[in-house]
Amino acid sequence: MKFFVDTANLEQIREAQDLGILDGVTTNPSLMAKEGITGEANVLAHYKAICELVDGDISAEVIATDFEGMIKEGQALAEIHENIVVKVPMTKDGVKAIRWFTDHDIRTNCTLIFSAGQAILAAKAGATYLSPFIGRIDDMNWDGIELIAQIAEIYTIQGYQTEILAASIRTPLHIVRAAEAGADVVTCPLSSILGLLKHPLTDIGLAQFLADHKKANS
Ligand code: E4P
């Protein structure tokens, strides 16, 4: 399973990269706004900076909601770097745009996925990645991980090549359960990735090893 970090913050991207386990980055308009990145030129420059930091797929989302606008924005994003994956929302125009990008060798990430039906449409259109939002589904008192498992089963049965990118990860346990459910990729806040490190028995065990070593060597 690939690990992407879900942020537009260069410091966090650098920290995740330093761990040596990072395969890519996802962003969205909210994450870009959170970093204060506004205006087309600044947005494109920020994506370029991310591409220079990480040698992996970088999802950059279109803002346009109409087909022509998505194509124009997606082409400009794809021109930044070969690792850019154009992120397109699951709408009627979005599906048409994904098909167009697929036919023109531009890779896509179909975002805002909340049902298996949407996942089938995105795969039919040729999306490279599919982003089901598991945390937001859990927020509604449904089961986000259940959706990942259902999509994984459908994609296996149908032989779809689209990779399942579990998004809207909120906890380290989401990462573990997404892996179990068959996600190909998880995109997570840095805090959830670092949360995987934690276990009190690791800390206790290490303290004991160091104490025994010190005793034996003093
Ligand atoms: C990333 O691709 C998604 O846009 C992101 O994971 C959504 O996360 P959120 O539900 O925490 O905003």
Side-chain angles (χ1 to χ4, degrees):
M1 187 173 73
K2 290 188 262 189
F3 269 71
F4 291 178
V5 68
D6 192 24
T7 181
N9 181 288
L10 296 180
E11 209 171 299
Q12 287 189 16
I13 293 171
R14 215 172 275 122
E15 190 176 340
Q17 170 81 341
D18 283 350
L19 274 174
I21 52 95
L22 193 65
D23 299 299
V25 179
T26 54
T27 61
N28 62 38
S30 305
L31 293 170
M32 293 293 275
K34 197 172 158 196
E35 298 308 314
I37 317 293
T38 54
E40 197 190 337
N42 290 334
V43 167
L44 296 182
H46 197 74
Y47 283 131
K48 191 161 183 278
I50 296 175
C51 289
E52 279 162 8
L53 269 183
V54 177
D55 183 20
D57 288 347
I58 314 295
S59 288
E61 188 160 344
V62 296
I63 307 296
T65 54
D66 63 300
F67 174 76
E68 286 79 15
M70 287 181 186
I71 300 305
K72 194 167 162 248
E73 276 182 35
Q75 282 179 307
L77 291 168
E79 272 170 24
I80 299 172
H81 196 281
E82 61 185 6
N83 287 348
I84 289 283
V85 176
V86 179
K87 207 170 172 191
V88 180
M90 169 42 73
T91 61
K92 194 174 172 189
D93 280 33
V95 170
K96 272 174 65 181
I98 290 169
R99 166 50 59 197
W100 190 93
F101 287 130
T102 306
D103 292 344
H104 290 79
D105 291 329
I106 292 175
R107 295 177 309 138
T108 54
N109 173 354
C110 185
T111 190
L112 290 164
I113 296 296
F114 295 95
S115 77
Q118 293 177 325
I120 292 170
L121 263 186
K124 285 292 291 176
T128 314
Y129 293 107
L130 177 88
S131 289
F133 278 26
I134 66 176
R136 292 193 195 186
I137 295 174
D138 286 3
D139 290 344
M140 297 289 290
N141 203 23
W142 294 333
D143 190 345
I145 293 295
E146 191 51 48
L147 178 62
I148 300 288
Q150 187 187 14
I151 296 170
E153 190 180 356
I154 291 170
Y155 278 15
T156 301
I157 292 169
Q158 298 297 331
Y160 292 143
Q161 297 304 305
T162 300
E163 291 189 54
I164 302 168
L165 191 167
S168 188
I169 297 264
R170 301 275 161 82
T171 64
L173 188 56
H174 267 156
I175 300 176
V176 175
R177 297 203 56 221
E180 263 178 347
D184 299 292
V185 190
V186 277
T187 188
C188 345
L190 179 62
S191 57
S192 297
I193 299 177
L194 296 178
L196 292 174
L197 291 166
K198 291 183 192 157
H199 200 290
L201 289 180
T202 302
D203 300 338
I204 293 167
L206 181 59
Q208 184 68 58
F209 287 153
L210 295 179
D212 289 346
H213 174 81
K214 194 173 172 191
K215 209 164 135 190
N217 288 277
S218 57

